[in-house]
Amino acid sequence: MSDTDGKKPLGLGGGPRSGSVKQSFSHGRTHAVVVETKRKRVVVPNPAKPGAPAGGGSSGASHLGDPSKRPAGISDAEMQRRLDALRQAKAREQEEAAKRAAEEREREEERQRRREEIETKEREDRQREAALRARAEEEERQKREAEEEAKNRAAARKADVLGTQRRQPAAPAPAAKPAEAEVPGDRGAGQSRPRPGAAAEGPAAGGPRPGTTPRKTDRERENRETDRGAARRGDEGRRTGKLTLSAATSEDGGRQRSLAAMKRKQEKARQKAMGFGQKAEKQVRDVQLPETIVVSELANRMAERAADVVKSLMKMGMMVTMNQVIDADTAELVIEEFGHRAVRVTDADVEQAIDSVEDKAEDLVSRPPIVTIMGHVDHGKTSLLDRIRKANVATGEAGGITQHIGAYQVKAPNGQVITFLDTPGHAAFTSMRARGAHVTDIVVLVVAADDAVMPQTIEAINHAKAAGVPMIVAINKIDKPSANPTKVRTDLLQHEVVVEAMSGEVQDIEVSAHTGQGIDSLLEAIALQAELLDLKANPNRSARAAVIEAKLDVGRGPVATVLVQNGTLKKGDIFSVGEKWGKVRALINDKGETVTEAGPSVPVEVLGLDGTPSAGDTLDVVNSEAQAREIADYREKASKDKRAAAGAATTLEQLMAKAKADKDVVEIPVIVKADVQGSAEAIVQALEKVGNEEVRIRILHYGVGAITDSDVGLADASGAPILAFNVRANATARGSASQKGVEIRYYSIIYDLLDDMKEAASGKLKAEIREHFIGYAKILEVFRITGTGNVAGCQVTEGVARRSAGVRLLRDNVVIHEGTLKTLKRFKDEVKEVYAGQECGMAFERYEDVRAGDVIEIFEREEVQRTLA
Ligand code: GDP
């Protein structure tokens, strides 16, 4: 070790602390630095040993300090030097500590300053809000003042600018100064420190900071540089340092800011400083809110920034991005938070396109009543309808041949037009009602005078009552000798139908569909009832109609028979109907004539649909094809959702219960095809009712139209028969059906179909096993016979004992064994039967424990085939 190297760490005492300095940095980081010193080589003449090298000897000694501790061979001068060094190091250390303390203070001040800034800002924010809320006038006044001030200042600056430009180039004005002076002035009094935001406005606007003074000259130089640059760019003319040619030309080029621009800038800066942004003119918007919405779309509709919306959602605990979908409830909260109004809209709003304006009383005109005929099977509904139609044709209509379109119009003797619905059975009537089509105004209840009230009569009464439709009772088959109309009337009383003949209010007419007797009176009664109902509609509006039948016609495509309920349906109208839509291509009336329009209560066939709607669907005329399509799409989706929801078992428990119940149920799969939708639905509804907890009919598929190959395929795959109602299989389907052995059953009467299916279902029922007791025997004694086991010696007390029969052993009236007989002996002979009073020997199959006094019960089992009720 030698001190001549001059780089020796200050470690004279040997202690490491003496030479290291602890540095502190921001964020609490520290760093220990080993301080090294570079010493000048000092030559001190040694009086004892002149010429001795200054740092050479280790033998040099000094008595400064503790001579006893002085290392041997160190001279006094050397010692002195080392001690000096030590002192210097200490002094430096102290100096550094002081510096550190100063730095620490500085940081503390900085922190304090920031705190103050934040506080000031918060205070400002608060003040701003207060000002915003309560002091609109004050604000206005301030604005005016500020404008004035800005104007003055701008004017002053302009003068200043002009002055500066004319100033000597040698006297550059520190550009930061004016800016520095302005900004605090803008913020008003009571503000000692510039805000950080303001610092950006001028290069030196940060204000003097402790410890930055030494760099001031640099800054100034910098400023000057910038100024020159700015001047070159023709930016802030007032900062011009030197008047150069380019500066002069650029000035002349008019690139200087206009007074108005300055004013605008000032105003903007002021508003920014005051925090008056768009907030001041914030608009409250009505935000359309669908069931779900994408966050960015929501922001868009509120005219807010998407980031702000995301932030507010996050505050609510929802971590979402701009592109995520949120539900309407959450969105509504956000909308409220932003101070807007949420307006909920649903998909169903597409249906609003349908004109639902109430008609004014003066627009309404009378319309014909719509009549449905109901009653028990074979009471003469069809015959009566035919008779009415024929009678009407006979009254002089041209052509005379009427087409079956499911409804037709006739004229009553008094001239009143009446619309008869030719379709519905009761099920169809109700299913139409279930779809919201209140088509029927009056129900004619047909009761056969020779049969009186029957189950379906009661059903019809209930349907009519449930629909709140007035009834007229037609007592039919009055021509029959066995007719007893009085019985009909009294029978009806039991079902709360009090006819006029029984001093009630329900009209009752005796008619005969065969002879035509009473038909006119019936029509008159209907006309009277219609008058009472005062039925009205507005023919001068877009039409609304109810579908009463729909079918897929080979030549014409989907065809729907509709009954116009309000307005007038015209050729070319665009409409939505249930889940379908269309444009009226042609209208055909009940006489088979093509018409151009159909008014209220008029039945017409409509051509031009995109698919087969369902009976009971409502047809609404809309404005455009797009609307019609939209409505149809929406309805289709909605009904799909509904079906899916209905099909899904809600709980696991329900699912399991259903599975358990299903296990024991025998299902008969069938496919139903019918000529019209109404029939198909009626059949399906009736079939669904067939069966009990053991057997049921499962409709795999039902539809309208001819049986196709795909129906046959489905039937084959599931081993189902096809039930065809008034339809036939096409050639290919017929071929493949016979090839695959698929059964197609043709019907034209619903009841036949139902009866057949009931029978089939009955066939699937397990046969019931019934027991008959055929005799009793009493055990008198028990014998033990080798090879046979215990044999009971008994006497038949009742009936007969048969060897093939089942036996039960009863002891004290408790069944202790049930089985069959091994032997039945009478005097050592095996016999088939032993009658009452006789004695016999009996042994049980695989059972020995028989005792005297036990009773044997002899019974037979019988299988009984059950049928469905
Ligand atoms: P629906 O099942 O109610 O439609 O009854 P139908 O119209 O098919 O008639 C059933 C049976 O009753 C048919 O055989 C008709 O001929 C007969 N029928 C219907 N009306 C009368 C009538 O007024 N007098 C007589 N004697 N028979 C009638």
Side-chain angles (χ1 to χ4, degrees):
M1 153 175 161
S2 164
D3 56 350
T4 47
D5 61 4
K7 284 191 174 180
K8 184 177 60 156
L10 272 175
L12 268 188
R17 276 159 67 212
S18 62
S20 72
V21 171
K22 201 173 160 209
Q23 291 186 320
S24 303
F25 301 99
S26 60
H27 306 296
R29 280 184 295 127
T30 56
H31 187 232
V33 176
V34 177
V35 177
E36 293 171 357
T37 180
K38 207 170 191 174
R39 262 190 305 151
K40 234 200 247 163
R41 191 176 167 139
V42 184
V43 182
V44 181
N46 193 340
K49 280 181 187 177
S58 58
S59 58
S62 167
H63 45 259
L64 276 168
D66 189 357
S68 63
K69 282 187 180 168
R70 183 189 304 169
I74 290 182
S75 66
D76 276 358
E78 174 63 17
M79 192 61 203
Q80 184 61 47
R81 208 167 58 237
R82 288 186 185 187
L83 284 172
D84 280 351
L86 199 59
R87 254 195 308 278
Q88 274 170 16
K90 273 210 179 114
R92 212 172 297 127
E93 219 171 274
Q94 269 168 5
E95 208 174 273
E96 266 161 14
K99 209 157 139 196
R100 269 204 303 280
E103 271 172 17
E104 191 56 47
R105 252 197 323 279
E106 206 175 288
R107 268 198 294 279
E108 185 51 45
E109 271 173 32
E110 172 76 14
R111 273 199 290 275
Q112 181 65 26
R113 194 175 62 80
R114 287 217 190 104
R115 260 201 301 279
E116 272 172 23
E117 266 172 20
I118 290 164
E119 274 166 21
T120 330
K121 197 162 175 261
E122 276 172 3
R123 204 165 42 241
E124 261 177 37
D125 282 348
R126 277 199 298 276
Q127 284 170 353
R128 198 183 306 140
E129 270 165 30
L132 250 178
R133 271 198 307 274
R135 316 240 306 245
E137 279 174 39
E138 176 69 7
E139 188 188 309
E140 198 47 45
R141 192 181 57 78
Q142 275 178 6
K143 212 171 182 173
R144 268 201 309 280
E145 271 180 17
E147 261 168 33
E148 205 107 303
E149 200 185 332
K151 210 185 280 173
N152 292 343
R153 209 180 302 123
R157 189 164 313 116
K158 200 185 175 198
D160 187 23
V161 165
L162 294 171
T164 318
Q165 279 165 355
R166 278 183 210 109
R167 234 180 268 156
Q168 285 303 309
K177 286 245 170 93
E180 227 176 300
E182 287 157 23
V183 175
D186 272 356
R187 278 192 306 273
Q191 191 150 358
S192 55
R193 281 180 189 280
R195 289 167 59 250
E201 288 169 18
R209 279 173 47 167
T212 54
T213 349
R215 267 180 269 144
K216 204 178 169 190
T217 44
D218 289 21
R219 180 88 50 85
E220 271 172 1
R221 205 181 309 125
E222 234 173 73
N223 286 345
R224 254 176 271 128
E225 297 275 342
T226 328
D227 287 352
R228 247 177 262 132
R232 269 196 297 276
R233 288 190 305 273
D235 188 16
E236 307 275 342
R238 65 199 158 88
R239 290 180 187 169
T240 307
K242 211 194 278 178
L243 188 66
T244 60
L245 189 62
S246 66
T249 47
S250 72
E251 215 174 284
D252 294 341
R255 277 199 278 162
Q256 190 196 354
R257 275 177 189 250
S258 71
L259 192 61
M262 294 300 290
K263 233 193 262 176
R264 275 200 300 275
K265 192 185 165 200
Q266 280 300 315
E267 181 65 13
K268 216 161 120 191
R270 194 190 66 83
Q271 285 206 343
K272 204 171 156 194
M274 296 290 284
F276 296 132
Q278 296 123 322
K279 264 188 183 171
E281 305 109 41
K282 180 152 184 154
Q283 283 185 10
V284 175
R285 287 167 211 277
D286 286 335
V287 181
Q288 300 259 315
L289 184 57
E291 272 143 36
T292 55
I293 191 167
V294 177
V295 174
S296 56
E297 176 58 24
L298 175 64
N300 214 356
R301 290 188 186 185
M302 294 193 293
E304 300 283 353
R305 283 171 47 213
D308 291 344
V309 176
V310 170
K311 209 193 284 169
S312 117
L313 277 164
M314 284 185 172
K315 265 193 233 154
M316 291 173 4
M318 280 195 62
M319 297 301 153
V320 291
T321 65
M322 263 163 32
N323 301 319
Q324 257 165 294
V325 176
I326 55 169
D327 60 295
D329 291 336
T330 315
E332 194 168 346
L333 286 179
V334 175
I335 292 169
E336 274 165 19
E337 187 136 313
F338 280 87
H340 300 294
R341 269 190 302 268
V343 181
R344 294 261 192 150
V345 292
T346 62
D347 287 351
D349 288 352
V350 298
E351 293 197 325
Q352 280 177 357
I354 295 166
D355 188 9
S356 55
V357 185
E358 282 294 309
D359 291 309
K360 281 186 235 121
E362 64 263 28
D363 294 337
L364 295 173
V365 296
S366 280
R367 66 170 176 86
I370 300 161
V371 181
T372 301
I373 294 191
M374 300 217 268
H376 193 72
V377 62
D378 276 353
H379 277 198
K381 297 185 292 289
T382 321
S383 311
L384 196 60
L385 273 166
D386 283 351
R387 187 79 209 188
I388 292 165
R389 185 154 46 176
K390 263 191 224 127
N392 213 259
V393 170
T395 53
E397 293 286 335
I401 299 161
T402 54
Q403 190 195 349
H404 167 86
I405 67 160
Y408 55 86
Q409 287 192 312
V410 297
K411 261 201 187 105
N414 67 352
Q416 161 81 286
V417 177
I418 300 165
T419 305
F420 278 93
L421 272 188
D422 196 0
T423 6
H426 307 165
F429 175 80
T430 304
S431 79
M432 279 174 80
R433 205 161 65 78
R435 288 211 190 84
H438 296 278
V439 187
T440 306
D441 300 314
I442 298 164
V443 165
V444 170
L445 182 68
V446 179
V447 191
D450 61 339
D451 204 12
V453 173
M454 295 299 281
Q456 281 165 3
T457 317
I458 300 165
E459 199 181 287
I461 294 169
N462 292 339
H463 279 302
K465 277 189 181 162
V469 176
M471 237 184 310
I472 294 171
V473 177
I475 303 169
N476 192 25
K477 306 194 188 180
I478 200 74
D479 58 305
K480 278 198 168 184
S482 56
N484 185 359
T486 322
K487 184 173 184 297
V488 173
R489 293 189 181 105
T490 42
D491 271 11
L492 284 172
L493 278 179
Q494 290 176 7
H495 303 283
E496 289 161 36
V497 179
V498 188
V499 296
E500 278 181 343
M502 309 290 277
S503 44
E505 288 189 346
V506 178
Q507 301 187 73
D508 58 319
I509 321 289
E510 291 180 8
V511 295
S512 167
H514 273 191
T515 64
Q517 179 194 338
I519 299 291
D520 280 354
S521 320
L522 179 63
L523 293 179
E524 269 166 22
I526 293 168
L528 180 68
Q529 185 70 53
E531 235 169 80
L532 285 176
L533 289 172
D534 191 24
L535 303 162
K536 289 200 161 149
N538 174 12
N540 299 315
R541 60 175 286 170
S542 50
R544 157 169 279 221
V547 177
I548 52 177
E549 256 185 22
K551 62 185 174 198
L552 193 64
D553 195 290
V554 182
R556 302 183 294 172
V559 180
T561 302
V562 303
L563 204 50
V564 179
Q565 293 182 296
N566 204 0
T568 300
L569 185 63
K570 299 188 185 87
K571 196 176 163 185
D573 276 351
I574 294 162
F575 58 87
S576 83
V577 52
E579 295 161 30
K580 310 283 185 253
W581 69 278
K583 183 173 179 178
V584 179
R585 209 170 65 211
L587 294 171
I588 298 156
N589 71 5
D590 55 343
K591 295 174 191 75
E593 300 155 354
T594 306
V595 290
T596 50
E597 56 175 50
S601 293
V602 175
V604 275
E605 269 188 335
V606 178
L607 272 65
L609 296 109
D610 80 326
T612 322
S614 304
D617 280 346
T618 317
L619 180 150
D620 290 288
V621 171
V622 294
N623 292 332
S624 71
E625 201 176 302
Q627 258 177 3
R629 250 181 230 274
E630 200 180 15
I631 294 169
D633 283 353
Y634 161 70
R635 287 184 181 162
E636 199 177 342
K637 189 172 153 277
S639 85
K640 218 181 264 173
D641 290 351
K642 209 167 146 191
R643 275 200 297 273
T650 33
T651 66
L652 197 61
E653 228 167 86
Q654 282 173 350
L655 207 75
M656 280 157 84
K658 193 170 178 289
K660 212 170 153 193
D662 281 357
K663 209 173 63 185
D664 305 326
V665 178
V666 181
E667 282 187 335
I668 303 172
V670 294
I671 291 167
V672 177
K673 292 297 288 251
D675 55 344
V676 292
Q677 185 77 21
S679 314
E681 286 186 3
I683 291 168
V684 167
Q685 283 181 357
L687 284 179
E688 273 166 359
K689 284 188 204 140
V690 172
N692 56 13
E693 64 283 352
E694 280 179 54
V695 59
R696 67 171 170 235
I697 289 168
R698 191 162 148 242
I699 292 122
L700 295 176
H701 168 72
Y702 77 91
V704 175
I707 297 160
T708 62
D709 218 11
S710 82
D711 295 329
V712 175
L714 178 64
D716 182 36
S718 18
I722 298 172
L723 311 178
F725 184 78
N726 283 342
V727 290
R728 297 287 174 264
N730 62 28
T732 45
R734 241 192 335 261
S736 62
S738 64
Q739 200 182 9
K740 290 171 180 163
V742 169
E743 186 188 11
I744 302 177
R745 301 178 77 126
Y746 296 99
Y747 298 93
S748 52
I749 294 166
I750 293 188
Y751 296 99
D752 287 351
L753 186 153
L754 290 180
D755 286 346
D756 273 10
M757 288 322 292
K758 272 184 195 160
E759 222 167 86
S762 303
K764 293 278 177 184
L765 284 176
K766 284 193 202 115
E768 194 178 36
I769 292 168
R770 287 194 196 145
E771 258 182 31
H772 303 285
F773 299 103
I774 55 170
Y776 282 99
K778 196 171 178 199
I779 300 179
L780 305 172
E781 221 180 326
V782 177
F783 309 97
R784 171 119 205 126
I785 296 172
T786 355
T788 319
N790 285 349
V791 175
C794 358
Q795 186 181 26
V796 178
T797 52
E798 229 183 294
V800 58
R802 236 173 242 147
R803 214 178 80 97
S804 58
V807 283
R808 281 194 197 99
L809 183 67
L810 311 178
R811 192 170 292 160
D812 300 328
N813 285 323
V814 176
V815 177
I816 53 171
H817 174 71
E818 186 182 321
T820 50
L821 285 179
K822 191 158 64 178
T823 51
L824 179 64
K825 283 190 162 146
R826 187 158 164 74
F827 305 119
K828 305 207 169 172
D829 298 324
E830 273 291 326
V831 289
K832 277 188 179 160
E833 285 178 343
V834 178
Y835 293 94
Q838 294 176 336
E839 291 191 353
C840 63
M842 285 195 252
F844 288 88
E845 195 85 61
R846 287 191 291 276
Y847 190 78
E848 298 288 304
D849 182 24
V850 284
R851 293 178 201 172
D854 288 352
V855 173
I856 297 170
E857 182 184 87
I858 305 125
F859 62 89
E860 272 181 344
R861 284 201 177 98
E862 184 194 24
E863 279 197 358
V864 182
Q865 195 61 47
R866 287 180 301 159
T867 51
L868 285 167

